[in-house]
Amino acid sequence: MSENLNKSSINEAGKSKSDDSEQGLEDAAEGSDEASREKIKSGSPSTQRVQRPHSSPPRFVTVEELLETAKGVTNMVLAHEIVVNGDFRIKPVELPEDSLEKRVKEIVHKAFWDCLSVQLSEDPPTYDHAIKLVGEIKETLLSFLLPGHTRLRNQITEVLDLELIKQEAENGALDISRLAEFVIGMMGTLCAPARDEEVRKLKDIKEIVPLFRAIFSVLDLMKVDMANFAVSSIRPHLMQQSVEYERKKFQELLEKQPNSLDFVTQWLEEAAEDLMNQRYKNALPAEGGATGCGDSLLPNPAAVQNYAYLRLLRWDHLRRPFPETVLMDQSRFQELQLQLEQVAILGAVLLVTFSMAASGISSQASFAEKLKMIVKILLTDLHLPSFHLRDALTTIGEKVCLEVSSRLSLCGFAPFTADKETVLKGQIQAVASPDDPIRRIMDSRILAFLESCLASGHQKPLPTVPGGLGPVQKELEEVAIKFVRLVNYNKMVFSPYYDAILSKILVSS
C-alpha cells in the first residue's frame, strides 16, 4: 500500500489587549498561521478553487449572513489553533521600524509623558495625570489575581485607594515614591519568573516619569504572560468542547454553502478507489484470474480514512484544492510533508554511508550521531526556494567521505579508497531524485510506519520503526506524533461527515 501511495500525486505573533483579549488571540492565531506558511518551500498555496465540482446549486445569502458566517469561521479557526497547536503563544506586538504606526505611537507617547513631567514639576505639583495612571496600574494588578488571592486584593485596594490618594494630593501629602515602591513589590509577587529581572531593574529608577514608563512597559509584558497562562489553562477544557464547537460551526457553514464537502468527497473517493485497486491486484493469481471478489476486496471506512490522510503528505498544494475539512491545517500538513522529505533524505544518506563504511565504525553511536548532525545541518534550509538539493548533497558527500576516512584512520581500519569515495558520493547525490531506489525505500517505509501509527490509534508506545530507519528514529517519531495527533483530532470533529460520504462510496462500489 505504501509504495503505491508513494507513487500517487498526492501561527506566533499576535496582539494582546487588556480590553479585548479575544481579538488579541485572533490576531495571534493569524500571525502564527502566517509564520508557518512562510516556512513552506513552494510559498503560499493558491486559494483559487479551479475545476470545482458542484454537488448542490448555490443559493443567495444576505450580507448579514455572510458576516455572521465569517465570524463563526474565525472563532472556529481560533479554537482549532489553540487546541491543535501546543506551541501557540501570544507575543508582544512589535511595530516595524520606520513605519507610520510606530512614529505616531512614539509621538503620542512622548507628548503624554512630557505632559506628566510638566505637571509634576509645577509648584505645587499637579497629580491629575499621575492619579489616572495609578488607577490604571491598580486595575491591571487586580486583573492578574485569581479568585483565591483575597489578601493581595485587599492590599492593592487599600494602598491604591484613589479617593485617599486624591485627598493626599490636595493636602500636599502624597508620596509618589511610596506608591511606586508598593507597585513594584506587588509586580514582583505576581509576575512570572521570567520577568524577575525586569521588575528588579525598576528599583534602580529614581525619577518618577521614567519609572512610570518602565512600570507600564513591564505590565504590558505581564499581560502577555497572563494571556498565555490563560491559553494553557483552558486548553484541556477547550479540547473537550472544541470538537462539538467546530462541528457545529462547520455545519452552519455547510447549510449556507451546501457544496462545502465537494473536495472532501473527491478526496475520499480517490483514496477508496486506490485502495480497492491495490487489493484487486494483490488478489490476482499468477494466471491472471481473481481469487476473490465482492466484500473481500472492499476496504473498511477506517482504512480508507487513514489512507486518505497519508495521501495529504504527498499532496500537490499548488495544483490541487485541499479538502475543506482539513483546510485549517493545510499549512501544518505542508510542514509535515517537508519534514518527512528531510527525514527521508537524511535516512537515505545515512543508509548508503553505513552500508559502505566498515561495520566497526558504522556501529559506533558517537560516529553515527556526528554524521547525522552534519547532514541535518546541511539540510536545514531544505524548505527555502533558494535551496538546491543536488548542490547540498554534493557538499554532504564531500563531508561524509572526510568523516569516514578520518574515523577509519583513527580506529586503525584500512583506508577508504578513492573508488569507494567516488561510489559513495555518487550514491549520495542520487538521493536527490525521488525515483532513486534508496530514496523510494525510505519513503515507502516511512509511510508504512505512519500507517501503522494511525492504525494503532492512541496506543503507546509507538509501533516499531521499520528496518533501515533506526538512525532517524527520533526525527521520524517526532513527526509521527504530530501527524497522528492532527489526524485523530480531525477525525473526532468530522467523522460523521466522513462516515456518511464513505457509506455511499463503498456501497456504490
Side-chain angles (χ1 to χ4, degrees), residues 217-442:
S217 178
V218 177
L219 284 175
D220 285 341
L221 296 176
M222 291 175 63
K223 289 178 185 178
V224 174
D225 295 337
M226 182 57 66
N228 284 323
F229 172 75
V231 168
S232 62
S233 299
I234 68 172
R235 182 176 284 115
H237 306 286
L238 188 61
M239 174 70 81
Q240 300 171 8
Q241 303 180 24
S242 183
V243 171
E244 292 297 330
Y245 177 76
E246 286 193 40
R247 191 182 298 161
K248 175 184 174 183
K249 291 299 179 183
F250 187 81
Q251 181 62 36
E252 292 175 0
L253 177 65
L254 192 61
E255 290 171 359
K256 293 181 173 60
Q257 299 183 19
N259 55 356
S260 294
L261 284 173
D262 288 349
F263 294 131
V264 171
T265 303
Q266 185 179 359
W267 168 52
L268 294 176
E269 284 176 346
E270 291 175 358
E273 183 180 359
D274 201 2
L275 267 182
M276 286 187 287
N277 287 338
Q278 291 179 45
R279 293 193 175 197
Y280 179 76
K281 291 177 182 178
N282 293 333
L284 288 177
E287 60 271 17
T291 60
C293 61
D295 293 340
S296 62
L297 300 179
L298 202 63
N300 62 65
V304 176
Q305 287 188 45
N306 291 344
Y307 186 71
Y309 281 110
L310 288 173
R311 288 171 63 91
L312 296 180
L313 299 175
R314 293 291 182 268
W315 201 263
D316 188 346
H317 295 272
L318 290 180
R319 294 180 177 84
R320 296 200 61 189
F322 215 58
E324 294 91 343
T325 53
V326 285
L327 197 57
M328 288 189 294
D329 292 314
Q330 182 171 12
S331 61
R332 291 188 178 90
F333 278 102
Q334 286 177 286
E335 185 70 20
L336 290 172
Q337 187 172 338
L338 291 174
Q339 290 175 4
L340 288 175
E341 182 184 3
Q342 188 177 44
V343 171
I345 294 172
L346 175 62
V349 170
L350 295 177
L351 183 63
V352 298
T353 301
F354 293 154
S355 64
M356 290 198 64
S359 58
I361 67 167
S362 59
S363 60
Q364 295 178 7
S366 59
F367 173 71
E369 194 62 32
K370 181 179 181 181
L371 208 60
K372 183 169 75 170
M373 187 58 62
I374 291 173
V375 179
K376 283 181 69 174
I377 291 173
L378 293 174
L379 292 175
T380 300
D381 296 331
L382 181 66
H383 62 279
L384 297 179
S386 58
F387 186 83
H388 297 288
L389 181 57
R390 289 193 176 276
D391 294 341
L393 288 173
T394 299
T395 304
I396 287 172
E398 297 287 346
K399 294 283 187 183
V400 166
C401 287
L402 285 175
E403 289 296 328
V404 171
S405 297
S406 175
R407 184 56 62 109
L408 287 172
S409 175
L410 185 64
C411 296
F413 290 100
F416 209 49
T417 64
D419 290 342
K420 284 188 175 182
E421 282 193 11
T422 302
V423 172
L424 179 55
K425 290 177 182 177
Q427 288 185 346
I428 290 176
Q429 195 161 28
V431 171
S433 171
D435 293 326
D436 175 66
I438 303 298
R439 175 83 174 271
R440 289 177 61 185
I441 290 174
M442 288 291 106

Side-chain angles (χ1 to χ4, degrees), residues 80 83-84 242 246 485-493:
H80 184 86
V83 171
V84 174
S242 183
E246 286 193 40
R485 183 189 298 129
L486 197 60
V487 170
N488 286 340
Y489 181 76
N490 188 269
K491 282 182 179 179
M492 286 191 292
V493 177

Side-chain angles (χ1 to χ4, degrees), residues 122-196:
E122 293 176 356
D123 190 17
T126 303
Y127 292 106
D128 294 346
H129 273 48
I131 293 175
K132 290 181 181 179
L133 292 179
V134 171
E136 291 185 28
I137 293 172
K138 176 184 177 180
E139 294 303 318
T140 301
L141 292 176
L142 290 174
S143 71
F144 294 152
L145 300 180
L146 298 176
H149 291 161
T150 306
R151 183 179 60 84
L152 294 177
R153 189 181 306 275
N154 291 337
Q155 286 184 359
I156 294 172
T157 304
E158 180 181 346
V159 177
L160 301 183
D161 186 341
L162 296 186
E163 291 300 324
L164 179 59
I165 292 173
K166 289 177 182 178
Q167 293 177 13
E168 291 178 345
E170 292 170 356
N171 296 318
L174 180 60
D175 186 353
I176 290 288
S177 299
R178 179 183 65 84
L179 294 179
E181 183 179 351
F182 170 79
V183 169
I184 294 172
M186 191 58 65
M187 290 170 64
T189 302
L190 299 175
C191 74
R195 304 300 174 196
D196 287 342

Side-chain angles (χ1 to χ4, degrees), residues 100-119:
L100 177 60
E101 294 88 343
K102 188 177 181 68
R103 290 199 298 271
V104 170
K105 181 180 178 180
E106 290 174 347
I107 292 171
V108 172
H109 281 204
K110 184 177 184 304
F112 175 84
W113 294 113
D114 286 347
C115 180
L116 177 63
S117 180
V118 169
Q119 285 191 350

